[in-house]
Amino acid sequence: MQIAITTTTQPRPRPEGPLGFGQYFTDHIFRVDWTDGRGWHDARIVPYEPLALDPAASVFHYAQAVFEGMKVFRGDDGAIRLFRVDRHAARLADSCDKLCIPTLDAESFAAAVAALVRTDASWVPAASTGGALYLRPFVVATEAFLGVRPAKTYALIIIASPVGAYYERGFAPVRIWVEREAARAVRGGVGSAKAAGNYAASLKVSMAAKKRGYDQVLWTDALTHEFVEEVGTMNLFAVIGDEVVTPRLDDGTILPGITRDSVLALLRARGLKVTERPLRLAELRAAHADGTLREVFGTGTAAVVSAVGTLGTTDGDLTIGGGEPGPLARAIHAELTGIQSGALSDSHGWTRVLD
Ligand SMILES: *Cc1c(COP(=O)(O)O)cnc(C)c1O
């Protein structure tokens, strides 16, 4: 894939103060278009600017829109490292496939990511800040037509946002509401795709939980609401006695997190007993009652590892670990961020230094 590069003549203002998450965007974007009969064409890096889309573009009407979320890191050595780009490429392809969107091959995806990061390398935060450059690849249907069928044109775009350390205010545990009425995903649906519509559909329940003092929602299975599945943008782990449990992916209702996969590998490398299986809320409740529920944490690209201090239910709150982050959540967070930044050696082959 040839990538034409047009650099900006009007650099965007650099952020001052804390970066937060997803508030600032770099000088350039990557874009490649797809046309039926022609495939992907016109790969390019161009200055960041608003998109021109026809009001009839089918993404606005029938939501053929999928995305990815990934980070690149600057190490103490100054080098920029990409984390598991191949897995993000594969997951984007899988999300596309589920929504009848054409897929981009992994090699071209990696080339696009590398080209954009190279162009905007000066936006990758310094290692000392604990920040990263967050990349948001997305694919949308651009064809102007009304009618329910797959579009005949698409754009794959990557935007980049410098983000701060997630824990600028410390590794504070989150309060999670266990939702047992609404559902995020159903068996046979598209819950395992990073499809934009899934997030729009979750907002109402998230807002209701926020109003009651919770940070995020833990979704349960749509059929019985007895099994916990995942948090809004994080997969869930529970340490019950000497077992670390995370809900299995078999039903296609859980987003297969790349952080989840990385954390599973790190836990197994520690020789811990790690199980992917159905996890009942009742089991968490019983373990909490008999004192064996040692830790609960979420995993996702944004937070990496986020300790859960409270599980809110209609029968009251369960406080975990005295509301303090557990030792395993802390240790895995330190290990994974260490690998990502290059401070720790990467025996799993997850990182690639940008040349
Ligand atoms: C992105 C996402 C995750 C976490 O995936 P990572 O690859 O670890 O960032 C978990 N659940 C949902 C619903 C997500 O959208």
Side-chain angles (χ1 to χ4, degrees):
M1 186 175 65
Q2 289 289 338
I3 304 175
I5 299 180
T6 308
T7 52
T8 189
T9 53
Q10 289 173 299
R12 294 163 65 79
R14 296 281 166 156
E16 290 165 27
L19 291 171
F21 188 85
Q23 299 181 53
Y24 302 99
F25 299 95
T26 63
D27 286 327
H28 300 91
I29 68 166
F30 169 85
R31 176 169 177 165
V32 61
D33 287 281
W34 188 92
T35 305
D36 192 23
R38 195 173 163 202
W40 294 104
H41 59 87
D42 291 315
R44 59 214 188 260
I45 283 172
V46 291
Y48 190 105
E49 62 174 13
L51 299 173
L53 283 179
D54 194 289
S58 62
V59 63
F60 297 133
H61 308 278
Y62 310 110
Q64 268 186 297
V66 297
F67 67 94
E68 266 305 313
M70 53 195 288
K71 280 177 174 172
V72 303
F73 304 84
R74 193 184 293 282
D76 287 322
D77 54 2
I80 294 173
R81 285 174 178 78
L82 312 177
F83 186 72
R84 307 197 76 177
V85 178
D86 53 331
R87 289 297 290 248
H88 286 281
R91 190 172 64 186
L92 181 62
D94 191 54
S95 295
C96 285
D97 189 54
K98 288 195 166 80
L99 271 76
C100 279
I101 296 173
T103 59
L104 182 67
D105 67 279
E107 200 181 312
S108 299
F109 179 82
V113 165
L116 180 63
V117 175
R118 249 182 236 118
T119 307
D120 282 337
S122 66
W123 288 82
V124 184
S128 58
T129 66
L133 188 68
Y134 181 82
L135 300 182
R136 169 53 61 84
F138 61 101
V139 193
V140 292
T142 52
E143 188 191 357
F145 82 101
L146 296 181
V148 179
R149 62 152 170 81
K152 291 181 176 161
T153 63
Y154 298 85
L156 184 158
I157 296 170
I158 309 176
I159 57 176
S161 171
V163 299
Y166 203 83
Y167 298 106
E168 268 162 0
R169 280 166 295 139
F171 198 78
V174 290
R175 291 169 53 81
I176 301 280
W177 171 256
V178 185
E179 175 60 36
R180 303 190 68 195
E181 283 182 20
R184 189 195 83 92
V186 295
R187 271 189 215 181
V190 293
S192 64
K194 253 178 140 66
N198 287 343
Y199 303 85
S202 73
L203 296 177
K204 194 123 186 148
V205 173
S206 297
M207 290 317 288
K210 284 221 166 89
K211 220 174 224 171
R212 292 196 308 277
Y214 298 94
D215 302 302
Q216 292 190 53
V217 170
L218 170 55
W219 299 95
T220 52
D221 73 288
L223 218 51
T224 67
H225 293 293
E226 285 182 20
F227 296 92
V228 298
E229 295 203 321
E230 65 170 318
V231 186
T233 58
M234 293 193 295
N235 295 111
L236 188 84
F237 286 77
V239 186
I240 303 172
D242 66 355
E243 182 190 14
V244 188
V245 188
T246 190
R248 58 175 198 170
L249 303 175
D250 304 39
D251 294 333
T253 52
I254 294 177
L255 200 289
I258 291 161
T259 318
R260 174 188 183 276
D261 186 74
S262 308
V263 166
L264 281 171
L266 296 180
L267 293 168
R268 288 183 173 129
R270 282 170 184 245
L272 295 171
K273 181 179 168 197
V274 183
T275 324
E276 296 173 75
R277 62 169 173 81
L279 178 58
R280 278 179 193 273
L281 177 59
E283 181 182 354
L284 289 175
R285 225 191 258 288
H288 180 262
D290 69 20
T292 53
L293 182 59
R294 290 159 53 191
E295 294 187 39
V296 176
F297 56 87
T299 64
T301 295
V304 187
V305 176
S306 179
V308 175
T310 306
L311 287 177
T313 74
T314 45
D315 302 324
D317 284 353
L318 308 181
T319 303
I320 299 147
E324 291 296 315
L328 193 59
R330 278 183 185 282
I332 292 293
H333 180 265
E335 185 174 3
L336 189 48
T337 52
I339 291 170
Q340 290 171 329
S341 71
L344 296 179
S345 73
D346 171 21
S347 59
H348 301 273
W350 290 333
T351 59
R352 217 187 78 210
V353 173
L354 188 72
D355 45 33

